[in-house]
Each structure stands twice: as structure tokens, then as C-alpha cells.
Amino acid sequence: MAYKLLNRKWRSTRAMYYTMIAELLGTVGVLVMFGVAQPDLYRTKLWQAGHDLGFNSSPAVILWAYANYEPLPTLPFVWSQTITNFNVAISVLSLFLLLTKLIAFIMHVWFPIIAMVINVSLIALYATSIAGQAGPDYLDPSHPSRIAWYVAKPCTVAANQSVQSNCRLAKGAFAASCIMLGIYTINLGMNIWALLPNEADRKDLNDDEDTSSPAALKKGGEWEMHGIPQTPRTGTVPFTPRTTAFNTLERKLPLRNQYS
């Protein structure tokens, strides 16, 4: 069978380099955005600002739990430290995989099937990041929130300029995550395109059939004993180098002719 699942060629090398350039720019963007937000540059401030505007719960629930010796409630993913650490981790992972991809592509070992597994994983990670950044907040029943206010609403709803600045940073990080999701989706599309059967597979299949057919072998195919001259068929003993040696020896034996 001519179809090869592992060692397949990419349909467009130029498109691969273009997507890697876009991926590099996007990776640098998320690295800067998520790195600046680490560990808690604006997350708690936006949480408090959202509560002051009546959009979500209050971060004071943590102090309330500590003051009353109560267990900490399960914080919304959008306001937790987990989402911040998660975003930093996937941005660093993206940079590492991009460098690996570039080296492997230059060495012609970046196969589409391997790239598809990696791209599907990165799509899942960035989809989780986007869902976390814009996630719901139902901690306070009196102030439920389906989507984080800094994503659903303009930053100008807050009168404080510092809150507006933090809101723009959060919007930028969210936008960079969406761009990275789009880039990896395009990469996945190129993977699927490269894995689909094409004319090269049909050509390889036809070449295999032609070279392995008896007619092709008869016309000049390579045989196991090809190139060795055939022994001439005559009425006498086949002429070989040993025949020449025996004839020479026979001429040098005079007693044999005398007593024969």
C-alpha cells in the first residue's frame, strides 16, 4: 500500500514557515501578557472592582473564612491563582514546542501525524485557558456572573483609571489566547490536509505496480543474477577456465601420448 501514515510530506513548506512566524509572534505575546500577570498583578483588583460594580462576588469571602475559622470556599476558576499559573505554564510550553518544531522541521522529522497530536493538545489547553479567563462566578448568589465582566463589558464601566488599565491588560491576555487558539486550529487544518490521500500517493502506488509487474521485469527489471553472462550452450563440454587449465596440462605430459 502506497499510503504512508508516518513519513508524509507537508503540502506547502511556505505555509508552514508563515504559520511558524505567526506562532512565534503569538507565543511572545502570551509570554509577556501572562508573565506580567504573575503572580497577582490585576486578578484580585478586577475581582474587587467587579464586586463594587455589582457584577460578581467579593474577594472578601477569603478574609471572612479566615476570620470565622471556616474552610475556604471553592473560588471561581476565573479569580483563582490556578488560572494564572496555568496560563504561564502553557505559554512556556508553547515556546518550547515551537523551538522543537522548528528544529524538527528543518531536519525533516516533523511529521504531520506527530504534529497533529501536539496541536490537538495545545488547542485543548488554550480552550481551557480561554474558558477560565472568561469563566463564570456563582460564588455569591446575589451577584451571579456568567462571563467575567472585563471580557463581557467595556473597561470604561469602571471610573477608576487604574481599574481601566488592569482591565485592558486582562482583555489583551484574553485576545492573545484567542489568537493562539486560532493559530493552532490552522496548524491542525494543515495537519489534516497533509494526512489526506493525494496524487503523490497514487503516483507511488502506480510506480510500485509498474516496477513489480512481470512485464516491467522482462523489459529490464533488476534480477538477482542480472549482469552475469549466460553459459553458451554447445554440443561439447562448456568452456570454462578449468577447461583451459586441463588442456594446457595435457600438452605438457609427453608420456601420456607415448603409452596411450
Side-chain angles (χ1 to χ4, degrees), residues 3 15 61:
Y3 183 84
V61 294

Side-chain angles (χ1 to χ4, degrees), residues 37-51:
Q38 178 76 8
D40 186 12
L41 177 65
Y42 52 75
R43 185 185 67 254
T44 304
K45 295 178 182 178
L46 293 177
W47 188 5
Q48 181 63 52
H51 176 72

Side-chain angles (χ1 to χ4, degrees), residues 53 83 106 194 196 247:
L53 295 170
I83 183 63
I106 294 175
L196 292 176
N247 291 337

